[in-house]
Amino acid sequence: MRTSVGAEGNAGGAVRFDLPEIDDFTRPYWDAAAAGRLLLRRCGDCGRAHHYPREFCPFCWAGEDRVVWEAASGRATLYTWSVVHRNDLPPFGTRVPYVAAVVDLAEGPRMMTEVVDCPEGELRIGMDLEVCFREEGAGAGVGAGAGVGVWVAVFRP
């Protein structure tokens, strides 16, 4: 599901440290995110899925010819979190407080992310979450073309 969750612009033209450098290998991941889909990589030798995307399997070291992209279900459970009340790096300072989190994807991998649309008092380890996507960097000349942002995976109950 692609939604514009709390999208902020690049106020004041500040340098952004949170935007990825998209290359030929990671482009399928970012293109899928822009379409509202989360991709993982799965090894054809050991069968394990991993995230963040790598060209090889981090478990059995199978090469790039044995590891393929696959669509994730978008379901996850909350493993841990921290409410961030101060962050001086752009654009995080405009978002505080926010919930930095680690989630366990239904397919197995653990992923760093942000939990949105949930009061911090309602957060519970093991709570069910679903992926949604937030556009970042629109107008900053990132992504497929000028004025196009990068869609990043965040999670909500």
Side-chain angles (χ1 to χ4, degrees):
M1 163 185 292
R2 180 176 136 159
T3 60
S4 185
V5 180
E8 290 93 17
N10 190 6
V15 175
R16 298 281 303 261
F17 297 99
D18 62 319
L19 299 175
E21 291 186 23
I22 299 171
D23 58 23
D24 289 341
F25 171 69
T26 61
R27 185 163 306 283
Y29 177 85
W30 297 111
D31 287 349
R37 296 179 299 117
L38 179 63
L39 293 184
L40 301 174
R41 300 277 286 167
R42 185 169 302 273
C43 178
D45 284 355
C46 72
R48 295 178 71 181
H50 63 269
H51 185 81
Y52 65 93
R54 284 160 275 194
E55 294 173 332
F56 60 91
C57 177
F59 304 108
C60 73
W61 298 95
E64 64 184 295
D65 61 324
R66 301 295 302 142
V67 183
V68 297
W69 293 105
E70 77 173 26
S73 66
R75 294 185 324 270
T77 57
L78 184 58
Y79 176 75
T80 191
W81 78 92
S82 180
V83 179
V84 178
H85 293 276
R86 182 176 175 146
N87 188 333
D88 295 331
L89 289 176
F92 302 106
T94 62
R95 291 190 195 144
V96 292
Y98 62 91
V99 178
V102 177
V103 299
D104 287 328
L105 300 175
E107 294 77 12
R110 191 163 277 167
M111 178 180 177
M112 293 184 68
T113 187
E114 184 178 340
V115 175
V116 297
D117 299 336
C118 184
E120 62 185 75
E122 294 180 17
L123 294 166
R124 299 286 180 264
I125 290 174
M127 74 185 296
D128 292 331
L129 301 169
E130 69 177 0
V131 72
C132 56
F133 295 85
R134 175 176 60 214
E135 187 176 26
E136 293 290 342
V142 299
V148 176
V150 175
W151 290 84
V152 296
V154 295
F155 286 78
R156 65 178 168 213

